[in-house]
Amino acid sequence: MFGIPFPSVSLPLFGTSAKSEERAPTVLSYEQVQELGRELDELRARIVAKLGDEDREYIYKIVKTQRGFEIAGRAMMYMPFLPPVWLAGVGALGVSKILDNMEIGHNVMHGQYDWMREPGFNSQVFEWDTVCPADQWKHSHNYMHHTFTNIVGKDRDIGYGILRMDEGQKWNPYYLGNPVYAFLLMTFFEWGVMLHDLESENIVQGKRKWHDVKPLLQGMWRKAGRQVLKDYLIFPALSGPFFVSTLVGNVGANLMRNLWTYSIIFCGHFPTGVQTFTEEETADESRGEWYVRQMLGSANIEGSPLFHIMSGNLSHQIEHHLYPDLPAHRYPEIAPEVKALCEKYDLPYNTGGFFQQIGSVWGKIFKLALPNSLTGSDSTVGVIVERKKVAA
């Protein structure tokens, strides 16, 4: 059996209380884990069987809305002499970029709409409105992150190679700058995502050679070059005498997208109560054990239907980690059943409001800037999984 570290939290484990509670470890037998896996497989199969016109029309509508916001935003930025209209244009363009990245790009590149067999929604050829090449993102995110979710030393999304986001990451004086690095990553998030697949920390440590990453650098140069040309030269130039105001507006829209995307992603991965794992604990996982890791290693954000759309439905991060290739707009439908399964097996379902979750994330960023010897450890064993069938 192995113990999965389960922090003592100040936020609710099941979203029902604001007080930290002592909680006896949950013990899952081998049979329970396998049964949970079967139930989650059955849930997925039921949703797959329902995919069709409703899902097709949904993504069509989102794309139409995204394009409408982009056209309106760029048009309104031709009127900098009317500041409220110009500001509305920047906001509309920012909304367009958020929808393109979150509810369209992220989800399409997960293969959520491959079943439609339409080139515009095919994960293999889709490209999004950001500086990171789609193929590199799919490797660092779809493969590395979703395969090795929250495994310290394997999942590079734990801190993005820049931050200390878990007590299991060995502290050194560099991490005193944790809050500063986090702020810079938030501000320039699309560039941080672009550089992610380089594994720059491994290059610095000599574990990866520059010639190994030459193809990645070439891809980044091509994609980032096109994006910079489009946002910071061509569209400003098209506005003629309003070049500077359009340039500033495009910078503002990209900043708006960066701040929002960073916040949603960090709320889904790093609030108090989200758990990490070791390579030893997760070696040779069964399907059921993989599901358990996904449920314990992610968190949801509560909000309105509009909030969920603007988050790309990554506000349902638990459901996304269980079923990354299902259309994300189905996650609200799935969530009650997933939560019920957590209650059935006495597993935590980490959920909370946006400000609750983001406050928890920033609290962790500041705390982990310091060594464990100064801050203390929050880790206790909360879930014990029986990995082998015990003979009667």
Side-chain angles (χ1 to χ4, degrees):
M1 298 194 299
F2 70 89
I4 300 176
F6 189 84
S8 172
V9 300
S10 57
L11 295 182
L13 297 178
F14 292 89
T16 57
S17 169
K19 296 181 180 179
S20 176
E21 298 179 4
E22 290 296 327
R23 185 172 183 269
T26 294
V27 179
L28 290 181
S29 68
Y30 174 87
E31 289 79 10
Q32 285 178 309
V33 172
Q34 302 316 306
E35 179 60 24
L36 173 60
R38 284 191 290 271
E39 291 184 85
L40 287 168
D41 280 341
E42 289 171 3
L43 174 55
R44 183 185 189 283
R46 278 191 279 118
I47 298 300
V48 169
K50 294 166 63 175
L51 298 182
D53 290 342
E54 177 185 345
D55 308 274
R56 183 179 288 106
E57 291 305 315
Y58 175 83
I59 194 63
Y60 287 167
K61 186 181 297 184
I62 292 294
V63 169
K64 182 178 180 180
T65 301
Q66 179 266 323
R67 291 174 179 171
F69 271 106
E70 180 174 8
I71 292 169
R74 295 197 182 281
M76 286 188 284
M77 280 198 288
Y78 275 82
M79 293 180 274
F81 46 84
L82 296 175
V85 176
W86 182 84
L87 286 171
V90 175
L93 184 58
V95 169
S96 167
K97 286 177 174 290
I98 288 170
L99 288 173
D100 177 87
N101 274 203
M102 308 276 295
E103 186 69 332
I104 302 172
H106 172 275
N107 295 338
V108 168
M109 289 193 294
H110 260 299
Q112 295 181 5
Y113 295 95
D114 282 0
W115 55 271
M116 290 171 53
R117 301 184 183 279
E118 295 185 21
F121 299 99
N122 185 291
S123 62
Q124 300 304 308
V125 298
F126 186 89
E127 193 60 79
W128 54 354
D129 182 29
T130 185
V131 297
C132 181
D135 60 332
Q136 295 184 25
W137 179 85
K138 284 184 287 189
H139 175 260
S140 63
H141 183 80
N142 288 10
Y143 173 65
M144 294 299 295
H145 173 59
H146 278 274
T147 302
F148 306 110
T149 308
N150 281 31
I151 300 176
V152 178
K154 296 285 285 185
D155 182 3
R156 295 186 63 259
D157 278 26
I158 302 177
Y160 288 81
I162 301 170
L163 306 173
R164 185 172 185 246
M165 295 303 302
D166 184 77
E167 292 178 5
Q169 294 172 276
K170 186 179 180 180
W171 185 87
N172 64 63
Y174 162 85
Y175 289 119
L176 290 171
N178 225 32
V180 176
Y181 311 145
F183 177 80
L184 291 174
L185 179 62
M186 176 177 66
T187 304
F188 301 101
F189 193 59
E190 66 171 323
W191 296 93
V193 171
M194 182 193 76
L195 295 171
H196 192 35
D197 211 29
L198 278 180
E199 301 181 20
S200 54
E201 74 280 11
N202 288 329
I203 295 175
V204 171
Q205 296 171 19
K207 298 177 181 178
R208 199 174 195 192
K209 304 301 180 183
W210 278 107
H211 64 77
D212 296 331
V213 299
K214 184 178 179 180
L216 297 178
L217 291 170
Q218 291 172 334
M220 292 175 190
W221 176 260
R222 287 193 297 269
K223 183 66 197 302
R226 289 197 297 269
Q227 289 296 125
V228 169
L229 187 67
K230 175 179 73 71
D231 277 346
Y232 305 134
L233 184 60
I234 293 177
F235 275 110
L238 289 174
S239 65
F242 308 128
F243 181 97
V244 174
S245 62
T246 301
L247 174 64
V248 172
N250 284 355
V251 170
N254 281 328
L255 178 62
M256 177 178 165
R257 182 266 319 281
N258 287 350
L259 299 181
W260 178 254
T261 305
Y262 166 96
S263 297
I264 292 297
I265 290 173
F266 271 55
C267 281
H269 293 86
F270 303 120
T272 302
V274 168
Q275 298 162 55
T276 56
F277 313 86
T278 67
E279 294 184 54
E280 292 73 23
E281 287 172 336
T282 55
D284 301 318
E285 281 180 319
S286 68
R287 179 69 170 171
E289 290 164 353
W290 183 87
Y291 276 137
V292 171
R293 174 159 58 87
Q294 304 306 315
M295 297 165 85
L296 299 180
S298 47
N300 285 5
I301 319 168
E302 297 164 2
S304 67
L306 178 59
F307 176 84
H308 295 316
I309 291 172
M310 292 301 293
S311 74
N313 276 288
L314 294 181
S315 47
H316 293 92
Q317 192 70 231
I318 296 171
E319 288 70 28
H320 175 60
H321 273 249
L322 291 172
Y323 309 118
D325 61 345
L326 287 184
H329 79 102
R330 292 279 184 174
Y331 295 155
E333 175 186 350
I334 296 169
E337 293 193 59
V338 173
K339 185 175 181 180
L341 286 172
C342 285
E343 293 173 349
K344 175 181 177 179
Y345 290 96
D346 197 24
L347 295 172
Y349 187 83
N350 192 331
T351 185
F354 174 78
F355 292 107
Q356 174 178 301
Q357 299 290 51
I358 198 64
S360 170
V361 168
W362 278 99
K364 181 183 288 188
I365 288 170
F366 276 87
K367 177 181 177 181
L368 293 176
L370 302 173
N372 295 343
S373 59
L374 293 180
T375 61
S377 175
D378 289 337
S379 295
T380 58
V381 174
V383 179
I384 298 174
V385 175
E386 186 181 272
R387 303 201 67 194
K388 293 183 178 180
K389 190 171 184 178
V390 178

